[in-house]
Amino acid sequence: MSTQIRAQAEAQALRVRSGDVELAVKVYGDVKRPVVVLVHGYPDSSHVWNKVVGPLSARYRVAAYDVRGAGESTVPTHTAAYELEHLVADLAAVVDTVSPEQPIHLVAHDWGSIQSWEAVSTERLKGRIASYTSISGPSLDHAGYWVMQRLRSAAPGEIAKVATQLMHSWYIGAFHLPLAAPLAWKLGLDQLWPKLLERFEGIRGESAPTQSSDGQHGVNLYRANVAKRLLAPRERRTSVPVQLVVPTRDRFVSLELLDGIGQWVDQLWRRDVSAGHWLQLSHPELVVRYVSEFVGFIEGAEESAGLHRARVREGVKPGKNNKYAGKLAIVTGGGSGIGRETLLSLAEQGAEVVAADIDLAAAQRSAELAELLGATAHARKVDVGDAKAMEALAAWVGNELGAPDIVINNAGIGMAGNFLDTSTADWEKILHVNLWGVIHGSRLFGKQMVAAGKSGHIVNVASALAFAPSRMMSAYATSKAAVAMLNDCLRAELADQGIQVISVCPGVIDTPITGSTRFVGVSEEEQGRRREGAKKLYQRRNLKPQAVSAAILKAIDNNRQEVLVGSEAHGARLLSRLSPALSRRLARMELSL
Amino acid sequence: MNEASSKIAGKAAHKADSNGWDPAIADLDGFRQAQQLAYRCAEAIADELIPGMTEREAAALMQRWLAANGANDCFHRPFAWFGDRTAFRGFIGFRHFGGFNPAFYPGNRKLEENMPYILDCAPTLNGYTADIGYSGCIGENRMLDKLMDDLLEYRVLILELVRQRKQLSEISQAVDRLCARHGYEPRHKAYPFQVLAHRVEKLDADEKKHRSVLNFGVRNIARLVGDVAKGRREGWSPLWSSGHASDHAPTPGLWAVEPHLGFRGVGAKWEELLVVTEEDAFWLDDDVPQVRRWLSRGLEPLAKAA
């Protein structure tokens, strides 16, 4: 906050002349730093960037200006004065003033983004723009091509996409009605606006002082440009590096409009954020981070891991081998069994992966195998039940790699034997890993995912024993039942954020866990014998970790809430529902291993 | 067949008593020559492999080469596997027909650039039988390189544990554990009886061509069956696996050891003769392609240990 106040205090107000109009420009930050120019959309003014200019100006020289017709800039009265070429000329005038020599980094939202596409793909500002971060505003020409290509394909699915986009754009039609929109703003929509934003977009904030005027006059942007460009689009290509920041829950721009954008842009990055249209208001830190990483990279710093994942590779079509391209997955217990197998399956299909395991060598081995499959992979040592260790892991992930898209809390230990023989230490040990590990992983990474607007997946591995009681497995089954309940509660909580929580309940899976399961209340020798017995049983069942990893990936792809693996898991589930009494009766059976 | 095999088993007992086996230098030389012949064959045919060639064609080339170079019998006729068939993907899941999995018969899979392949042949030369496995690819395959590098550890581990006179089942289980640690599937479990290794015995030297049935050499298999019968009486098995039948100390004699690793769709193996004596054990020959490869890749310290 203090940087924000300081930066605001240092803001320098300029008036820049562009033809007949005068533009209000505010400039922040150190004169010697690279220059970032912010362009707002409709019905906003430069006010809309208030939450990002502070932190951004701590790193860069930042200029935010009111587009013609908005804020404190001149308001031309003729619709024709709002045509894109004038808007580009305005931007050029601002750029020439705030950075006469060095090319600037453009960051634009909504209509600002629409006009900036024009700026990066036409001659006027050639060589003057070093990078472009576009938030929620496509090029009208690209959109025109998008519509044409789909209509020409005559494929019902493609035409339906056009229809969907038209529905998203109802307001554009409304804006073309004489009087209607300006009248609404005059009659007090400006007063209502903050409430509408809060109600529909979940954004709290005060109204800009010029909101009513911004709303009335900005309508001309649509009237002057939309029909003209959509009906007769021109090819708009750019060699300026472009970072798309895409709010996936945008009510005003549909995601499909961005399909095929790679054909127009040489170097493209894309970051999806599960958020609404006004990202700079709902996720200011994220916007600052994304802009900083991108500008930093273009200015010569190393490409951050997150940016690297976001790179859209030309000619790489989404398919079986890169389904998870651009995604980051963390797998606890990733050094063996189900964890390793799931990690490798994700890596095989393009994900960047982090193998976290208490056995560092095992985690490193998993990472090495993931790299052989072509993935970027990391290995970290962690005791999942140790809050500090997990916080350190999460901090490392957050700083170095960015928020994960997929978190698999898989680390677990086995325990068997009578409840009365299970000591406090035994209980603490199993809950430490099986429950606390899941709690820490879900909490720490869940927070990161929410903050970064990741509509990802948290996969918590429970067990069929979560709903199949057994006198032999009270500690283990209890720990897993707790995980299953945590999953159900967490799923409800994170649904609003678009984060899926998946409960995995494997049956009898042949993994190394059998070799380390603790058998309470028996001698070392007897424990060894029972481990052997358990191992044999599990081997005879011959259900491999691959079966679980395949089920997990399928659940991720299909947004399933719960996956059962193995007929015994399905049977136990059915029994617990159809005849809980029988299920409890069976719990009394003593299986001799 | 039974009668014949027990007769042969009787002869074997007379010649090479498992309780007092002391290999004659001449015999070891014979086996070494057979193994060198087998590896020369694999290397020669590996040089001739070109994209588009089928497994059957490669196997036939090996068979012709061996016949032309003095082999008159075999443990099995040459096998060749290409692509994901090197990893026996999928086949490990079901029980083989009484321990007999037809998946390893050469098929019509065509070789492609960068595809892994395995050549496996087991010629008999002057009554001495070798059984070898040779992995490679035309072009580059990082995964295969990794598997082949890691196979070195298995050569070290197996010899070390045999020298410690660990039970063969224990050694095989240690191999399984090393596979688990490495993240590989022990694909030798797809072989008949899930063997990590099997015995080979000395046959009578002669000049005539001997028959094979279903690609397996009748004389060698008869000897193996004889060993099974004999082992049953004496409490050991010529089929070395992780199962109870191998719950015994290393039996003196010659063992064709064949760890076969699989990772996703890529498999690799080597197969060599291990000489087990009353007191000690050693690889019959260190001058084999996989050891030369490890040396050339700078994996020397471990290779020296091998």
Side-chain angles (χ1 to χ4, degrees):
Chain A
M1 198 62 196
S2 65
T3 44
Q4 189 170 353
I5 291 164
R6 202 165 53 243
Q8 302 271 9
E10 286 163 8
Q12 189 191 344
L14 304 174
R15 302 287 294 177
V16 172
R17 185 114 220 128
S18 169
D20 313 339
V21 306
E22 230 181 42
L23 302 161
V25 186
K26 283 194 195 112
V27 192
Y28 311 79
D30 189 342
V31 141
K32 294 191 285 286
R33 302 282 177 89
V35 180
V36 174
V37 175
L38 308 173
V39 192
H40 68 82
Y42 173 86
D44 306 316
S45 66
S46 59
H47 205 77
V48 79
W49 298 108
N50 275 0
K51 288 183 179 171
V52 302
V53 286
L56 211 51
S57 62
R59 296 173 184 217
Y60 304 108
R61 179 117 171 120
V62 178
Y65 73 101
D66 291 328
V67 174
R68 61 170 62 199
E72 286 160 26
S73 295
T74 311
V75 180
T77 44
H78 295 293
T79 303
Y82 290 85
E83 283 174 359
L84 287 176
E85 57 177 291
H86 300 304
L87 301 174
V88 170
D90 290 354
L91 175 62
V94 172
V95 170
D96 288 343
T97 307
V98 298
S99 181
E101 281 161 21
Q102 295 305 315
I104 59 99
H105 299 272
L106 198 53
V107 178
H109 175 245
D110 185 79
W111 257 97
S113 174
I114 293 174
Q115 68 180 68
S116 295
W117 274 113
E118 185 79 2
V120 296
S121 59
T122 53
E123 282 297 308
R124 176 62 184 86
L125 276 155
K126 197 155 193 209
R128 303 287 290 122
I129 301 171
S131 80
Y132 172 33
T133 297
S134 162
I135 308 170
S136 213
S139 153
L140 290 180
D141 294 285
H142 295 170
Y145 269 97
W146 183 89
V147 171
M148 272 179 10
Q149 283 165 359
R150 265 143 202 86
L151 292 181
R152 278 189 192 142
S153 77
E158 297 299 312
I159 291 170
K161 282 184 188 166
V162 175
T164 309
Q165 176 55 37
L166 286 178
M167 282 183 331
H168 273 276
S169 312
W170 58 271
Y171 57 95
I172 298 176
F175 288 167
H176 284 77
L177 300 176
L179 296 178
L183 195 64
W185 286 106
K186 269 186 208 158
L187 290 176
L189 182 56
D190 58 320
Q191 298 301 316
L192 206 56
W193 190 245
K195 289 203 185 72
L196 288 176
L197 276 188
E198 191 175 338
R199 170 81 181 74
F200 292 107
E201 299 285 320
I203 295 164
R204 279 165 207 263
E206 40 193 277
S207 178
T210 53
Q211 187 72 67
S212 170
S213 164
D214 297 345
Q216 287 174 50
H217 300 104
V219 166
N220 286 316
L221 294 167
Y222 293 88
R223 294 179 177 177
N225 298 298
V226 175
K228 201 162 96 184
R229 290 306 177 93
L230 287 184
L231 295 176
R234 281 168 283 180
E235 291 200 354
R236 292 288 190 222
R237 296 176 195 283
T238 185
S239 56
V240 173
V242 177
Q243 170 177 235
L244 295 175
V245 180
V246 183
T248 54
R249 288 186 281 140
D250 197 320
R251 289 166 199 274
F252 306 100
V253 183
S254 77
L255 295 178
E256 282 81 8
L257 265 185
L258 298 171
D259 290 353
I261 196 164
Q263 64 186 309
W264 311 112
V265 184
D266 293 344
Q267 296 181 75
L268 186 66
W269 287 257
R270 174 176 173 161
R271 317 237 221 186
D272 286 9
V273 184
S274 171
H277 185 70
W278 279 275
L279 206 59
Q280 67 275 57
L281 293 175
S282 63
H283 291 73
E285 302 88 5
L286 199 65
V287 170
V288 170
R289 178 174 183 158
Y290 287 177
V291 169
S292 302
E293 285 182 2
F294 190 52
V295 171
F297 170 64
I298 301 297
E299 288 289 329
E302 207 173 308
E303 189 176 29
S304 72
L307 193 61
H308 185 74
R309 283 198 305 278
R311 206 185 258 267
V312 179
R313 279 157 184 88
E314 195 48 46
V316 180
K317 291 251 185 303
K320 193 176 170 296
N321 293 330
N322 60 355
K323 205 162 38 174
Y324 303 110
K327 306 276 190 219
L328 175 66
I330 319 280
V331 185
T332 70
S336 66
I338 294 169
R340 174 180 276 175
E341 198 51 46
T342 309
L343 180 108
L344 293 178
S345 299
L346 289 165
E348 199 169 31
Q349 298 183 39
E352 178 171 350
V353 291
V354 179
D357 202 293
I358 195 152
D359 179 349
L360 181 61
Q364 282 167 336
R365 178 71 196 184
S366 295
E368 193 181 8
L369 294 174
E371 274 169 359
L372 279 178
L373 295 170
T376 306
H378 316 266
R380 308 294 291 182
K381 180 183 167 73
V382 73
D383 172 358
V384 289
D386 179 341
K388 284 225 166 62
M390 281 296 274
E391 276 160 18
L393 172 70
W396 177 82
V397 169
N399 291 333
E400 298 293 321
L401 311 176
D405 299 275
I406 298 168
V407 178
I408 306 202
N409 290 303
N410 155 78
I413 56 171
M415 194 172 284
N418 295 334
F419 170 76
L420 293 182
D421 294 329
T422 310
S423 69
T424 311
D426 289 329
W427 274 101
E428 276 168 356
K429 190 176 165 205
I430 195 166
L431 294 180
H432 178 81
V433 180
N434 290 11
L435 182 56
W436 276 105
V438 176
I439 293 173
H440 293 319
S442 302
R443 189 174 63 87
L444 294 164
F445 290 115
K447 273 187 180 172
Q448 285 186 359
M449 291 167 79
V450 169
K454 295 278 186 187
S455 58
H457 296 84
I458 296 179
V459 181
N460 292 335
V461 179
S463 163
L465 286 168
F467 41 77
S470 159
R471 61 178 295 170
M472 307 280 297
M473 304 285 284
S474 50
Y476 183 80
T478 303
S479 72
K480 292 300 189 181
V483 169
M485 179 51 84
L486 171 65
N487 290 343
D488 288 344
C489 297
L490 187 62
R491 181 179 306 114
E493 180 175 330
L494 294 182
D496 296 341
Q497 268 77 33
I499 297 173
Q500 293 281 336
V501 176
I502 299 171
S503 208
V504 184
C505 301
V508 176
I509 312 292
D510 182 18
T511 79
I513 201 175
T514 51
S516 59
T517 291
R518 166 137 169 69
F519 288 79
V520 298
V522 296
S523 66
E524 276 294 314
E525 200 181 318
E526 177 63 11
Q527 169 161 290
R529 205 186 60 75
R530 292 199 186 183
R531 274 181 188 164
E532 268 312 299
K535 209 170 106 191
K536 291 245 168 65
L537 172 76
Y538 279 58
Q539 276 172 353
R540 262 205 303 280
R541 174 68 182 88
N542 198 26
L543 200 54
K544 300 283 179 192
Q546 284 87 330
V548 185
S549 82
I552 289 177
L553 265 60
K554 204 168 145 200
I556 289 174
D557 295 344
N558 301 316
N559 282 329
R560 296 262 305 279
Q561 301 182 341
E562 184 180 76
V563 271
L564 306 177
V565 187
S567 48
E568 62 275 23
H570 287 274
R573 180 49 131 187
L574 208 61
L575 191 65
S576 73
R577 286 184 173 149
L578 292 182
S579 178
L582 180 57
S583 170
R584 286 178 209 131
R585 180 79 202 164
L586 287 174
R588 291 170 63 177
M589 268 172 48
E590 193 155 5
L591 299 166
S592 55
L593 292 174
Chain B
M1 170 104 174
N2 267 344
E3 201 186 348
S5 62
S6 56
K7 246 191 231 162
I8 291 163
K11 249 195 256 172
H14 172 70
K15 261 192 187 168
D17 191 337
S18 68
N19 296 321
W21 196 76
D22 190 17
I25 301 293
D27 281 342
L28 287 188
D29 276 346
F31 279 113
R32 201 174 287 119
Q33 276 163 22
Q35 181 164 298
Q36 279 169 357
L37 176 80
Y39 268 120
R40 277 212 310 282
C41 166
E43 286 181 315
I45 303 311
D47 278 347
E48 284 184 39
L49 291 180
I50 47 166
M53 200 174 262
T54 65
E55 292 175 350
R56 282 183 193 168
E57 285 163 353
L61 283 177
M62 282 197 281
Q63 178 63 28
R64 274 205 294 280
W65 193 98
L66 290 172
N69 286 273
N72 64 339
D73 197 356
C74 66
F75 187 88
H76 60 73
R77 289 166 76 97
F79 295 136
W81 306 301
F82 298 163
D84 62 357
R85 280 179 40 81
T86 56
F88 291 123
R89 233 182 167 182
F91 281 102
I92 202 161
F94 74 84
R95 300 268 164 222
H96 330 308
F97 304 113
F100 193 82
N101 185 343
F104 52 78
Y105 282 116
N108 287 320
R109 172 66 60 87
K110 283 199 166 97
L111 190 62
E112 292 167 20
E113 200 95 357
N114 305 326
M115 200 184 234
Y117 62 75
I118 294 176
L119 304 178
D120 188 316
C121 64
T124 301
L125 180 68
N126 306 322
Y128 298 102
T129 301
D131 193 348
I132 63 105
Y134 180 92
S135 303
C137 82
I138 308 176
E140 265 191 49
N141 191 316
R142 282 177 63 215
M143 220 181 272
L144 179 70
D145 280 338
K146 182 71 189 158
L147 282 159
M148 287 170 71
D149 287 353
D150 289 338
L151 271 167
L152 167 56
E153 269 187 69
Y154 295 80
R155 195 172 188 267
V156 176
L157 176 79
I158 291 166
L159 181 61
E160 201 176 283
L161 296 181
V162 171
R163 280 184 169 160
Q164 291 171 22
R165 313 310 277 189
K166 296 272 191 221
Q167 294 200 338
L168 294 185
S169 56
E170 250 180 277
I171 300 172
S172 177
Q173 286 159 19
V175 167
D176 296 346
R177 278 195 300 278
L178 185 57
C179 283
R181 191 148 66 68
H182 278 148
Y184 298 144
E185 289 283 346
R187 287 310 196 201
H188 47 266
K189 291 194 185 294
Y191 296 151
F193 311 105
Q194 310 194 4
V195 293
L196 170 66
H198 59 83
R199 287 278 288 227
V200 290
E201 305 289 356
K202 193 186 161 197
L203 307 175
D204 295 332
D206 58 27
E207 302 284 301
K208 52 179 193 223
K209 295 244 178 256
H210 292 278
R211 283 186 56 203
S212 60
V213 171
L214 292 172
N215 285 17
F216 284 87
V218 172
R219 284 199 305 163
N220 272 299
I221 293 302
R223 287 299 297 272
L224 189 68
V225 171
D227 277 353
V228 169
K230 180 167 180 287
R232 226 171 245 160
R233 290 194 302 277
E234 299 173 0
W236 62 279
S237 166
L239 301 165
W240 174 355
S241 74
S242 294
H244 283 303
S246 294
D247 287 345
H248 59 84
T251 324
L254 278 152
W255 292 87
V257 184
E258 45 183 336
H260 185 156
L261 311 178
F263 179 62
R264 315 313 258 195
V266 178
K269 73 177 283 191
W270 50 257
E271 182 167 10
E272 287 183 48
L273 291 179
L274 177 71
V275 183
V276 179
T277 64
E278 279 302 318
E279 304 291 317
D280 197 14
F282 52 89
W283 294 108
L284 177 64
D285 191 353
D286 280 332
D287 189 16
V288 288
Q290 56 272 20
V291 174
R292 291 199 292 270
R293 180 182 169 281
W294 292 324
L295 287 168
S296 77
R297 284 172 73 84
L299 303 167
E300 195 176 358
L302 268 174
K304 266 191 183 144

